[in-house]
Structure formats: C-alpha cells, structure tokens
Amino acid sequence: MKKQQVILLATSAILLAVLYFFSNTVPPVSKSTDTPEATGETKPITTKSLIDSAKSPLNTQQLSYLTQLENSVVRGNVKEQQIAVYKQLAMYWQDSLKHPEIAAFYTGEEAKLENSEKSLTFAARLFLGQVMAGGDPSLQVWMATNAKALFEQALKMNPESDSLKVELGACFLFGNISSTPMEGILKIKEVADKDSTNMYAQLMLGLGDIKSGQYDKAIERLQRVVKQEPTNLQALFNLAETYERKGDKQNAILWYRTVQNMINIPEAKQELENRIQSLQ
C-alpha cells in the first residue's frame, strides 16, 4: 500500500474512533438509486448558503474578521496573496469557528490555486473523510461534489494514480452525486481488477457492499483486507458492524473486542464495551 493510502486510512481510523460511536460509518441501506436532488427530498446546499448559515450566530468581532479576510481575497491580485488568505480563512473556520466543512472548502480553494497533486489530494481527502462519516444528505452531496472536482484535477496531473481513482469512485459511492451508484463502484473495481492486492480498493468495495446490503460479500472483502492488514481499524470496525447487522452476535463481539484492544481512546473503548454488552 502506498504511503498516501496509509495516511488516509490512518486519518479515517482516527475519525472513526471519534465519530463512529455517534453515527454509523456507513450510510443506511437505501432502496432508491435516485440522488436527493433528483427526488426533491432535500434542498441542495450551495457554498454561499452554507457559509451564510454558519455566519448567522457569529458575533460582530468574528464577522468583521471574516469580512476583512474575504475582501482581501477579492482585492488580492497576486496568487501567493490569495493562497495565504485562503489558508487563514481555512484555519479560522476550523480552529476558531469549528466548521470543518467550510475549512475544507477554503483549503480546496487554496489547493486549486497552488495546483499541485499533493495540495489537491489533501483538500479532497478532507471532504471525503467527512462524506464517509455520514450526516445530512444535502451536505453530503455538497462535500462529495467538492471532493470530486479536486480529485479530478489531481488525476489530470497523475492519471495513473490508483489511490486517486479509488477515492474519486468513493465520492460517487458515498456522496450520492450520481443517479447511478454503479458509476462509483466501476471506478473502484477498475483498480481492484487491475491489482487484486490493492487493499484500499477492496476496502472501498466492501463498504459499498455494506451500503447496498450485500453483507456476505462485504464480509468476504473485509476479511481479505484484515488478513493483509490486521491493524486496519476502518476494516475492523466495519467487519464487526456487518456481522452485527447480519445478526451474528458471536462474530460481531469478536471483532468489536479486537478493535477495543487496539485503541486508546477511553470514550471509544467504553462505547465499544456498551455495544458488546448489548449483544450478549
């Protein structure tokens, strides 16, 4: 597995350890193949509406600082100046205002100006990590759409990158940005078919199987990943949850216990213990 894939999986594992216990890592199975936008079930989110909504509870000082930074972007006619302002906006939304989705947006704007594979991929993965954590459907579409654009720009620079192809497929698979979910599966399967030892592709396909309710196929793929990468927390978490969804309490407990013994976050360990107890 390439270094960048290891970094992403490590990041995903940390996110899962913190977020998993408050929401499922995999979206519930849906019988509809329509996107939220296509069905009209949810109102599409725009970047402006998202930022405006996040600004509404801010105080005068916070709004004044944001306005100053935003105006600096408009006035700046030097790329390096604009990059610096986007970086400041991203940090402020992330650290002070606690809006990681907006921070990811400005990181993405910074990356587009830098136009390097490294910066584009980093920004895209900020979005993808949040997409895979689940949440509001409209926000999922917005984040996945942003991630897709960044991954596509990175792929123009490195069209042979298997990890970028897999992650682009994941945007379609988990972000509901296409009326044909197979579009995402096919992008990931292309990599898996070319290299059956690519465990990152196998993991994403396994998560796709869970999303579509194909639990036996998911278990087969996830077990293959765990066999090759026994410390892959994302695969282990989802393997345990899949067994639980199937009603196989014994195996669910086994894998939840395996995860519990590998993590050091007290809250996560306790939540896992609660889940294990509920299965006994």
Side-chain angles (χ1 to χ4, degrees), residues 22-208:
F22 301 98
S23 62
N24 289 333
T25 57
V26 178
V29 177
S30 173
K31 295 182 180 180
S32 172
T33 58
D34 293 330
T35 64
E37 290 172 294
T39 61
E41 294 174 358
T42 56
K43 183 179 180 180
I45 287 177
T46 65
T47 300
K48 184 179 185 303
S49 67
L50 185 67
I51 293 176
D52 286 347
S53 176
K55 282 182 177 180
S56 61
L58 301 184
N59 60 43
T60 303
Q61 183 178 0
Q62 292 168 324
L63 288 171
S64 176
Y65 182 64
L66 283 174
T67 300
Q68 177 186 339
L69 290 177
E70 291 166 350
N71 289 339
S72 297
V73 174
V74 175
R75 290 196 302 267
N77 56 6
V78 179
K79 184 171 74 171
E80 286 71 21
Q81 290 179 341
Q82 293 177 316
I83 288 173
V85 175
Y86 282 136
K87 188 185 295 290
Q88 287 178 278
L89 279 163
M91 291 176 62
Y92 191 61
W93 278 106
Q94 175 70 44
D95 299 334
S96 300
L97 303 181
K98 310 302 181 185
H99 278 277
E101 72 288 353
I102 300 177
F105 168 75
Y106 282 115
T107 301
E109 295 302 290
E110 174 192 345
K112 290 174 186 176
L113 287 178
E114 288 186 2
N115 199 33
S116 70
E117 181 188 350
K118 181 179 179 181
S119 62
L120 289 164
T121 303
F122 176 79
R125 287 171 176 169
L126 290 179
F127 281 116
L128 183 58
Q130 295 181 68
V131 169
M132 296 187 67
D136 174 74
S138 293
L139 185 58
Q140 293 289 96
V141 171
W142 178 82
M143 292 190 294
T145 301
N146 277 276
K148 171 182 174 291
L150 292 163
F151 280 130
E152 287 176 336
Q153 189 170 337
L155 270 167
K156 290 179 181 178
M157 299 176 181
N158 187 4
E160 300 304 314
S161 172
D162 287 342
S163 61
L164 289 176
K165 291 176 183 177
V166 170
E167 289 160 336
L168 177 59
C171 293
F172 287 89
L173 185 57
F174 299 103
N176 295 317
I177 57 176
S178 172
S179 59
T180 55
M182 278 301 294
E183 186 172 353
I185 292 288
L186 291 174
K187 291 180 184 297
I188 301 170
K189 197 171 183 299
E190 175 189 339
V191 175
D193 288 345
K194 183 179 71 173
D195 178 11
S196 61
T197 66
N198 189 312
M199 291 299 107
Y200 188 40
Q202 295 295 336
L203 172 61
M204 290 298 111
L205 288 173
L207 296 182

Side-chain angles (χ1 to χ4, degrees), residues 220-273:
E220 181 181 348
R221 290 190 190 277
L222 293 173
Q223 283 180 332
R224 189 184 311 171
V225 175
V226 168
K227 183 178 180 180
Q228 295 296 319
E229 301 173 359
T231 60
N232 188 322
L233 285 177
Q234 192 173 17
L236 290 164
F237 267 124
N238 283 282
L239 183 56
E241 187 190 50
T242 306
Y243 274 117
E244 181 180 357
R245 290 188 181 195
K246 275 196 67 179
D248 187 339
K249 295 182 179 181
Q250 183 176 353
N251 275 306
I253 290 171
L254 171 66
W255 292 107
Y256 280 134
R257 189 70 73 188
T258 300
V259 174
Q260 188 183 47
N261 291 335
M262 292 173 60
I263 60 178
N264 297 313
I265 302 174
E267 295 84 358
K269 290 178 78 73
Q270 182 56 55
E271 185 60 35
L272 274 170
E273 184 60 35

